[in-house]
Amino acid sequence: MGHGKNNFKRYGPLVNNSQRISCDYLVIGSGLAGLTAALKAARHGHVFVVTKKTADECNTQYAQGGVACVIAQGDTFDSHVHDTLNAGVGLCHPDIVSEIVRSGPERVRELEKYGLHFTRRGELSDGLDRNEADELDLGKEGGHTKRRILHAGDITGREIVKVLLTHAAQHPNITLLENHLAVDLVSTRHIEWQGENRCLGAYVMDCHTHRILTILSRFTILATGGAGKVYLYTTNPDVASGDGVAMAYRTSAEIRNMEFFQFHPTCLWHPDAKSFLISEAVRGEGAVLKIRRGGEHEEFMDAYHPMASLAPRDIVARAIDNELKRTGQECAYLDIRHHPETFLRKRFPNIFEKCLDFGINMARDLIPVVPAAHYCCGGVRTDVNGVTTVKRLYAAGEVGCTGLHGANRLASNSLLEAMVVAHNAVEHSLQEPTDDVHIPASHIPDWSFGDASDSDEMIVVSHNWDEIRRFMWDYVGIVRTDKRLERAKNRIRLIRKEIEKFYWDSIVTSDLIELRNLASVAEMIIDSAMARKESRGLHYNANYPPGDSSTKGKDTILRQPSKAEVWFE
Ligand code: FAD
Ligand code: SIN
């Protein structure tokens, strides 16, 4: 527990018959952002972490490339800032970029203190002297002009989650509830309240019993990650259904730049590979992209960008899309056959094994790849401290939009951002007054099932789920047009109407909650894309040729209740 101003009242945990819990911090999500926040907040009060599946199922778990951070001699903060701004195409917020980049080394040291081991050069190469062998091995990825990606082999995310979960599980101030899905935020909109909108916690479903808990908290930290499942093909695990953005939107938080959905250029193309990622770090080690023409495989990225296969991601994904359409091929290829098998096995042990499972030896064979939806650059609008437009509600990690990524995220900047913003959010909460308002817990209603009944029409869920993901891929994907967006808008309007009715008439299930959130996020992406009358970064609309990429752009903001409130900031 802290002292003085930060000496929070110890509430509990208290679970009573009415299924209520009170705590100092409620953290929703157990990826890098959620666990960083939880471990930090646990020094100051009792923390509940709720996560909808097992604690290790999150985007963080699958991160391969690593964490972008200025560590190497010869690298500078200015250079990392420059590369981030360049990738973001005039939409990054430079002050935020600078602050996040400069906070990197401290947060990375903290990860190491938790026990994370980043790969050293000596683990990959023989014949180095002791000092050289002990240096961090730094990877390179698209858009970076320097080697600056710290990595733990090619399973960086898995290692991060492992060390943080070990600490969180042992911490006496942290209660971690797996298979608990946040259904909605509790806010002053649920009670009679004259002041500014304030978050009071969340309604959370125990996915085994279907009970809905009311978890009241002094601070709520949304760390629910991304929304890749909104697209048919994605690198993201099933948990990435955009719940946090949808919940925040329903609580009238401002949502920013949802049109900027990043497509990763290189997912393994194989019917059984389920969009397995081939890290950009593979291109960082010299792999080049090729396309088949006749019987030959030819490089093509030189024609698109001076950085060729290591150009920023929006450019590479679009180039592949263009080449596939132009040649009628089903996939492009990565060629890294210039490296010996021994090196590839050491540098990319996981990717190497996975490719072998599908009969591809990276040292001898070309790797078939296609783009897939990967990262939501937009999200709940925050500052660098994760402060949202709803009081006592923070957002950190992929669910948030600080302004770091602009119109296109620079590779490996998201793990960095998740750590920095989660840390800052807790620091910020310590400055908030403890007793500025008093809302008796008895004024806050529990979840009511109303007249809802068990539904025997679950086909509605699976049908709509499939339809949304397919038309988002076809109409709101890598290349958009006004007509396609219009079509998507018409579809989503009808589907959302159907889902809303179904939602209020039926007893909620986790599938239905996720579908409702997915549909809401899909509509936010469409609305934001329709509002942006230009092509910029990840938002490419064939009706608007890309302008001068150095011109400063404007953000797109969405806020409930009125759909008319889509504006450029
Ligand atoms: P997540 O790690 O996704 O965690 C979200 C958590 O919230 C999960 O535990 C989820 O179950 C939970 N949750 C969601 N909704 C609810 C709900 N309603 N109720 C309760 N819990 C909920 N970035 C990099 O910087 N470097 C990389 O090398 C890199 N590689 C990547 C590779 C892959 C394959 C993928 C998919 C992403 C990669 N990224 C990378 C992006 C990066 O991993 C993510 O942006 C980052 O990990 C997000 O962290 P997070 O904590 O915000 O969210
Ligand atoms: C990758 O390893 O290619 C993913 C990196 C990222 O998404 O930042």
Side-chain angles (χ1 to χ4, degrees):
M1 295 290 283
H3 297 286
K5 191 172 167 191
N6 304 328
N7 190 4
F8 295 155
K9 181 165 175 279
R10 182 77 183 268
Y11 289 105
L14 302 169
V15 182
N16 58 28
N17 286 340
S18 73
Q19 301 160 2
R20 284 195 167 212
I21 294 170
S22 293
C23 57
D24 296 309
Y25 291 90
L26 169 62
V27 177
I28 307 177
S30 60
L32 176 56
L35 293 176
T36 303
L39 285 163
K40 209 135 285 193
R43 296 175 199 159
H44 309 287
H46 197 92
V47 183
F48 267 78
V49 181
V50 296
T51 191
K52 66 179 173 181
K53 293 268 160 61
T54 56
D56 58 1
E57 189 56 349
C58 52
N59 276 2
T60 305
Q61 174 78 1
Y62 299 92
Q64 296 183 349
V67 185
C69 185
V70 176
I71 296 279
Q73 290 209 331
D75 195 5
T76 62
F77 290 134
D78 284 348
S79 166
H80 189 177
V81 167
H82 170 272
D83 292 348
T84 303
L85 296 178
N86 192 37
V89 201
L91 215 63
C92 301
H93 293 219
D95 50 334
I96 302 276
V97 177
S98 175
E99 199 167 334
I100 291 181
V101 162
R102 283 173 163 73
S103 305
E106 210 178 322
R107 300 283 74 80
V108 159
R109 275 193 292 278
E110 213 164 59
L111 264 186
E112 290 182 310
K113 275 197 207 137
Y114 281 126
L116 187 73
H117 173 77
F118 286 114
T119 302
R120 299 322 214 234
R121 289 180 61 204
E123 292 163 47
L124 301 177
S125 315
D126 301 323
L128 301 175
D129 69 33
R130 212 162 140 190
N131 286 341
E132 287 171 332
D134 208 35
E135 280 172 15
L136 287 163
D137 181 73
L138 297 173
K140 197 159 189 264
E141 292 182 16
H144 287 275
T145 52
K146 292 272 184 342
R147 281 190 171 265
R148 64 165 72 96
I149 319 292
L150 284 75
H151 61 96
D154 58 356
I155 51 165
T156 310
R158 202 188 302 173
E159 294 296 306
I160 289 175
V161 171
K162 190 168 83 189
V163 297
L164 295 184
L165 268 182
T166 305
H167 284 270
Q170 290 163 357
H171 203 296
N173 261 359
I174 297 180
T175 306
L176 202 150
L177 300 177
E178 292 186 312
N179 300 303
H180 277 70
L181 176 126
V183 180
D184 251 325
L185 297 169
V186 182
S187 80
T188 44
R189 298 180 82 210
H190 288 95
I191 58 175
E192 272 186 39
W193 176 255
Q194 301 302 328
E196 63 185 316
N197 195 12
R198 168 181 286 252
C199 183
L200 306 169
Y203 294 116
V204 175
M205 175 192 275
D206 175 336
C207 298
H208 291 318
T209 63
H210 293 113
R211 285 188 326 168
I212 297 197
L213 306 172
T214 307
I215 304 188
L216 301 178
S217 54
R218 288 178 23 76
F219 300 102
T220 303
I221 303 179
L222 263 186
T224 48
K229 294 305 282 188
V230 89
Y231 286 99
L232 188 57
Y233 303 109
T234 177
T235 62
N236 292 190
D238 290 349
V239 290
S241 50
D243 300 357
V245 174
M247 285 190 285
Y249 183 68
R250 289 195 289 272
T251 306
S252 284
E254 284 181 13
I255 310 295
R256 179 158 65 188
N257 291 348
M258 289 301 287
E259 66 274 38
F260 298 109
F261 214 103
Q262 185 169 70
F263 291 78
H264 197 293
T266 57
C267 289
L268 186 58
W269 183 75
H270 189 282
D272 300 326
K274 218 190 167 217
S275 298
F276 177 77
L277 186 74
I278 306 291
S279 174
E280 210 158 271
V282 173
R283 273 175 282 143
E285 297 300 341
V288 289
L289 279 160
K290 293 187 168 173
I291 191 89
R292 195 162 74 203
R293 273 199 204 95
E296 300 294 310
H297 293 92
E298 294 172 5
E299 292 182 32
F300 58 89
M301 277 308 302
D302 283 336
Y304 290 90
H305 196 273
M307 293 174 90
S309 291
L310 270 181
R313 237 172 238 180
D314 56 332
I315 292 163
V316 181
R318 216 153 41 237
I320 295 178
D321 185 70
N322 190 41
E323 289 295 316
L324 298 184
K325 285 182 178 140
R326 217 157 63 88
T327 60
Q329 298 290 313
E330 283 181 303
C331 65
Y333 295 89
L334 273 174
D335 188 351
I336 192 161
R337 294 174 298 178
H338 59 285
H339 279 300
E341 183 168 330
T342 43
F343 171 79
L344 293 174
R345 277 185 182 277
K346 276 194 218 162
R347 177 65 180 87
F348 302 112
N350 183 43
I351 297 173
F352 196 94
E353 277 306 314
K354 191 74 169 187
C355 285
L356 271 190
D357 286 348
F358 296 108
I360 302 157
N361 180 325
M362 291 168 72
R364 290 202 297 268
D365 305 317
L366 296 175
I367 310 165
V369 289
V370 284
H374 183 61
Y375 184 86
C376 187
C377 292
V380 184
R381 178 191 190 177
T382 75
D383 65 7
V384 78
N385 299 318
V387 174
T388 70
T389 51
V390 175
K391 257 191 128 20
R392 301 289 168 113
L393 175 69
Y394 295 89
E398 194 166 339
V399 67
C401 178
T402 57
L404 172 70
H405 308 308
N408 173 46
R409 176 179 65 103
L410 182 67
S412 285
N413 263 357
S414 42
L415 293 176
L416 170 72
E417 184 192 45
M419 287 190 291
V420 171
V421 178
H423 166 90
N424 290 356
V426 176
E427 291 290 313
H428 183 275
S429 72
L430 302 179
Q431 308 308 319
E432 290 284 289
T434 32
D435 290 316
D436 57 339
V437 290
H438 180 67
I439 299 170
S442 56
H443 288 197
I444 300 164
D446 282 327
W447 182 266
S448 158
F449 284 99
D451 297 330
S453 60
D454 248 339
S455 170
D456 53 1
E457 286 290 323
M458 289 319 280
I459 187 72
V460 174
V461 175
S462 59
H463 178 90
N464 284 331
W465 180 266
D466 291 344
E467 187 173 350
I468 292 170
R469 299 184 68 208
R470 187 167 289 282
F471 76 66
M472 286 300 287
W473 182 263
D474 289 339
Y475 300 156
V476 200
I478 296 174
V479 175
R480 302 158 181 183
T481 65
D482 283 345
K483 250 195 194 139
R484 288 181 198 169
L485 293 176
E486 193 74 50
R487 270 187 208 123
K489 179 69 188 178
N490 289 338
R491 294 301 310 133
I492 198 69
R493 206 183 273 133
L494 289 175
I495 290 178
R496 283 209 66 202
K497 219 165 141 190
E498 186 170 302
I499 293 172
E500 282 303 307
K501 173 151 176 35
F502 192 67
Y503 180 85
W504 293 111
D505 288 351
S506 313
I507 290 182
V508 290
T509 62
S510 50
D511 286 345
L512 182 52
I513 292 163
E514 286 185 336
L515 171 68
R516 183 178 183 229
N517 291 333
L518 195 86
S520 166
V521 168
E523 186 159 33
M524 287 186 230
I525 297 173
I526 297 165
D527 285 344
S528 307
M530 291 178 91
R532 186 168 292 283
K533 303 291 183 203
E534 62 170 355
S535 288
R536 182 183 289 274
L538 296 160
H539 173 71
Y540 185 84
N541 182 331
N543 294 117
Y544 307 96
D548 175 1
S549 62
S550 63
T551 55
K552 175 135 182 45
K554 291 178 178 172
D555 290 325
T556 321
I557 306 284
L558 294 163
R559 193 180 58 199
Q560 281 254 62
S562 160
K563 268 283 145 57
E565 280 190 81
V566 178
W567 74 87
F568 282 118
E569 209 188 19

